[in-house]
């Protein structure tokens, strides 16, 4: 595996159905891969059935995250970016028998074929999936073990982390210090470095990269717009009412501009996050649970600051760099490091975005990201009932506001005298996540999940 960062920003920002990138998008992609690999496998016997075992955090909170439905959708040929969310949300609700088409053979499956397995230990990662073809006496004749490592990324057991491409980007860096050195050496912004690398990694022209980023921005703004006009109760046992639209309407009546600004930033984050909780299409930024922070900031930059498309692209590329550095050197998975890796990283990405679109020097961009992440250190993942609603939705709003605040703090004084680097905070996040007890890492066995409606 290459040591430097060589993954595409389009692997970080992905369109897919909510509510969770690791528990919904990852399992859906894994099931699609299982179809593909099962079809290509050299099998002695024609399989009689299939089973999928969802282990670790996938078992603990998979019901609330719809992981079983995501697997079923993947087995039925759905792909996250164009997924029919209405159909997805209705899957496995009764005893319907579905058919998975492996090409050379088809297999029936139903709600009992996809198992929340609390007993089988995970292998290398908290979110482990055992995907099996069985013969008529239940013997396993083909098995694919897949990990969902966060942000919708999947890794197959026994294979290299396919997070990166084999391309060698022109600007090689492993961390923030590395990209800052490149920025100083070549007198390029972080966004310019990212574009140079992206052209090689994804083999796209600048125009194609811009088009893809523009599409992501449209999809993000879409999730905000849909959420702002949708009222009602979110799915699941909590009975949580949406409030993004309500706060936005209230903001229109607010007398003071500063109050309106803050209310709207909060409302946009709530709106996109509520769309995620409803299982509708969102953009992972860097995860689905954190899918409200960056869209809210993009909306603010467009609406309040009238930032151009070009500026927003710069912001997205800069945010992408921050997310990739956090993913490479720590994690963006709540199951691995808690919510500091999801909302914390999203807030850091958004802070860097705000600084970059204001043409701040790279050092100030780093400082903004550092401040935003620093004040999320230690944040646990404790979704009530395993649903990405409480504390997740309001946490997106708080993450967006923190991003703006971090930008303001970063622009005060001389950023060169900054005492803590982004890389140090990322290292602290990893260590904190490793020392965090597993009950506080997307299992719904600790924190708010224990001391609220579940008790
Ligand atoms: S608490 Fe944070 S990490 Fe956990 S599911 Fe909610 S948003 Fe994701």
């Amino acid at each position: 595996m290459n040591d430097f960062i060589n993954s595409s920003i389009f692997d970080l920002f992905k369109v897919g159905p909510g509510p969770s990138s690791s528990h919904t998008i990852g399992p859906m992609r894994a099931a699609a891969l299982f179809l593909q690999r099962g079809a290509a496998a050299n099998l002695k016997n024609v399989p009689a059935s299939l089973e999928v075992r969802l282990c670790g955090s996938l078992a603990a909170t998979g019901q609330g995250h719809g992981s079983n439905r995501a697997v079923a959708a993947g087995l039925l040929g759905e792909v996250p970016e164009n997924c029919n969310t209405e159909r997805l949300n209705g899957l496995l609700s009764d005893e319907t028998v579905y058919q998975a088409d492996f090409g050379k053979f088809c297999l029936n499956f139903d709600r009992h074929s996809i198992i929340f397995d609390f007993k089988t230990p995970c292998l290398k990662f908290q979110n482990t999936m055992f995907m099996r073809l069985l013969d008529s006496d239940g013997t396993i004749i083909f098995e694919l073990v897949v990990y969902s490592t966060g942000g919708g990324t999947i890794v197959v057991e026994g294979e290299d982390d396919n997070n990166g491409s084999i391309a060698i980007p022109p600007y090689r860096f492993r961390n923030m210090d590395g990209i800052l050195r490149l920025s100083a050496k070549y007198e390029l912004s972080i966004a310019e470095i990212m574009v140079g690398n992206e052209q090689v990694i994804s083999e796209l022209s600048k125009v194609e990269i811009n088009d893809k980023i523009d599409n992501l921005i449209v999809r993000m703004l879409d999730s905000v717009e849909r959420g702002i006009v949708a009222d009602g109760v979110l799915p699941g046992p909590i009975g949580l009412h949406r409030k993004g639209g309500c706060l936005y309407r209230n903001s229109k009546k607010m007398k003071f501009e500063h109050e309106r600004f803050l209310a709207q930033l909060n409302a946009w984050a709530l709106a996109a996050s509520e769309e995620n909780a409803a299982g509708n299409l969102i953009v992972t930024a860097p995860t689905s649970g954190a899918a409200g922070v960056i869209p809210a900031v993009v909306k603010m930059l467009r609406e309040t600051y009238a930032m151009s498309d070009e500026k927003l692209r710069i912001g997205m590329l800069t945010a992408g760099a921050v997310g990739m550095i956090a993913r490479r050197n720590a994690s963006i998975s709540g199951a691995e490091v808690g919510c500091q890796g999801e909302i914390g990283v999203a807030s850091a990405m958004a802070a860097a975005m705000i600084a970059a679109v204001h043409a701040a020097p790279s050092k100030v961009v780093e400082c903004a990201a550092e401040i935003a992440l620093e004040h999320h250190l230690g944040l646990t993942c404790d979704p009530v009932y395993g649903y990405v609603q409480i504390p997740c939705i309001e946490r997106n709003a708080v993450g967006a506001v923190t991003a703006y605040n971090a930008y303001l703090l970063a622009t005060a004084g001389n950023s060169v005298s900054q005492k803590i680097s982004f890389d140090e905070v990322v290292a602290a996040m990893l260590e904190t996540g490793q020392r965090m007890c597993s009950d506080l890492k997307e299992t719904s066995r600790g924190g708010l999940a224990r001391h609220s409606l579940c008790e």
Side-chain angles (χ1 to χ4, degrees):
M1 188 175 72
N2 289 321
D3 195 24
F4 45 82
I5 292 174
N6 64 345
S7 54
S8 163
I9 70 152
F10 304 114
D11 185 55
L12 191 72
F13 294 117
K14 289 190 280 279
V15 178
S20 168
S21 45
S22 55
H23 288 55
T24 315
I25 298 177
M28 191 182 290
R29 296 180 77 201
L33 187 68
F34 176 51
L35 271 187
Q36 205 182 62
R37 297 284 180 93
N42 194 8
L43 304 172
K44 284 195 189 122
N45 309 321
V46 176
S49 62
L50 67 83
E51 77 169 24
V52 174
R53 291 185 171 271
L54 303 169
C55 304
S57 171
L58 286 173
T61 59
Q63 190 77 49
H65 288 66
S67 305
N68 54 344
R69 292 195 303 275
V71 168
L75 291 173
L76 295 171
E78 292 272 12
V79 289
E81 49 276 23
N82 300 317
C83 172
N84 177 338
T85 54
E86 213 168 304
R87 181 188 188 209
L88 169 67
N89 292 329
L91 291 171
L92 309 185
S93 55
D94 54 24
E95 296 299 328
T96 301
V97 175
Y98 306 90
Q99 195 171 59
D101 185 354
F102 285 81
K104 286 184 265 182
F105 55 91
C106 291
L107 292 175
N108 289 343
F109 71 96
D110 61 17
R111 58 192 302 177
H112 307 289
S113 314
I114 303 164
I115 301 150
F116 293 115
D117 183 340
F118 294 87
K119 289 196 182 134
T120 306
C122 288
L123 299 183
K124 290 183 196 142
F125 190 80
Q126 255 310 305
N127 297 327
T128 301
M129 288 167 271
F130 296 91
M131 317 189 99
R132 294 164 176 164
L133 297 177
L134 312 170
D135 72 10
S136 51
D137 65 8
T139 307
I140 299 168
I141 55 175
F142 173 78
E143 182 178 67
L144 188 71
V145 180
V146 186
Y147 309 110
S148 182
T149 58
T153 299
I154 54 170
V155 176
V156 176
E157 167 60 23
E159 298 179 12
D160 267 353
D161 179 343
N162 55 2
N163 208 3
S165 80
I166 51 166
I168 299 180
Y171 304 108
R172 295 189 276 283
F173 61 92
R174 299 174 178 85
N175 51 24
M176 184 62 83
D177 182 57
I179 199 167
L180 288 181
R181 281 172 195 272
L182 291 167
S183 173
K185 181 174 175 188
Y186 296 105
E187 296 185 357
L188 294 172
S189 67
I190 290 174
E192 286 168 325
I193 291 171
M194 294 299 288
V195 169
N197 281 0
E198 191 64 42
Q199 284 176 278
V200 173
I201 292 165
S202 59
E203 297 180 8
L204 296 171
S205 68
K206 261 190 190 175
V207 174
E208 289 167 324
I209 292 169
N210 286 346
D211 285 351
K212 286 192 82 158
I213 295 175
D214 289 350
N215 178 50
L216 286 170
I217 290 171
V218 167
R219 306 294 286 260
M220 283 184 178
L221 293 174
D222 234 34
S223 64
V224 173
E225 303 298 345
R226 277 187 273 114
I228 280 292
V229 294
D231 283 320
V233 176
L234 292 166
I238 303 175
L240 189 68
H241 285 261
R242 290 178 183 249
K243 61 180 184 185
C246 174
L247 182 56
Y248 184 71
R249 289 190 295 278
N250 288 350
S251 76
K252 295 285 190 189
K253 297 176 222 145
M254 288 173 183
K255 201 163 139 204
F256 300 108
E257 203 177 315
H258 63 270
E259 202 182 3
R260 230 176 9 252
F261 170 82
L262 203 53
Q264 292 186 352
L265 182 56
N266 275 289
W268 292 326
L270 292 178
S273 189
E274 285 162 358
E275 277 301 280
N276 177 63
N280 293 330
L281 288 180
I282 49 81
V283 178
T284 63
T287 64
S288 306
V293 177
I294 293 179
V297 166
V298 167
K299 178 81 175 162
M300 172 195 76
L301 293 169
R302 160 133 308 160
E303 200 140 313
T304 314
Y305 288 94
M307 289 290 179
S308 64
D309 289 350
E310 178 54 24
K311 287 274 189 186
L312 292 181
R313 284 180 209 128
I314 289 170
M316 287 287 285
L317 287 158
T318 310
V322 170
M324 283 183 193
I325 290 168
R327 183 172 68 182
R328 182 202 176 274
N329 297 298
S331 172
I332 56 168
S333 164
E336 212 174 1
V337 295
C339 199
Q340 47 175 359
E342 296 206 17
I343 298 290
V345 171
S347 188
M349 292 165 70
M353 167 183 269
I354 301 168
V357 300
H358 285 95
S362 298
K363 192 68 190 142
V364 174
V365 170
E366 185 225 357
C367 189
E370 182 277 309
I371 293 170
L373 186 57
E374 180 183 323
H375 301 291
H376 282 93
L377 285 181
L379 193 62
T380 61
C381 171
D382 50 358
V384 173
Y385 278 122
Y387 279 73
V388 190
Q389 298 182 6
I390 301 174
C392 319
I393 295 172
E394 288 176 358
R395 197 166 278 178
N396 274 268
V398 173
V401 173
T402 299
Y404 189 76
N405 207 24
Y407 158 68
L408 293 178
L409 292 173
T411 53
N414 185 353
S415 60
V416 176
S417 62
Q418 178 193 350
K419 300 291 183 204
I420 306 284
S421 71
F422 181 72
D423 291 330
E424 287 169 337
V425 181
V426 169
M429 176 173 80
L430 177 63
E431 193 193 287
T432 306
Q434 286 166 341
R435 294 169 74 165
M436 198 180 274
C437 105
S438 65
D439 284 355
L440 297 169
K441 294 193 277 191
E442 214 162 352
T443 58
S444 290
R445 291 195 300 255
L448 270 181
R450 257 176 62 75
H451 292 276
S452 55
L453 304 173
C454 286
E455 280 293 274

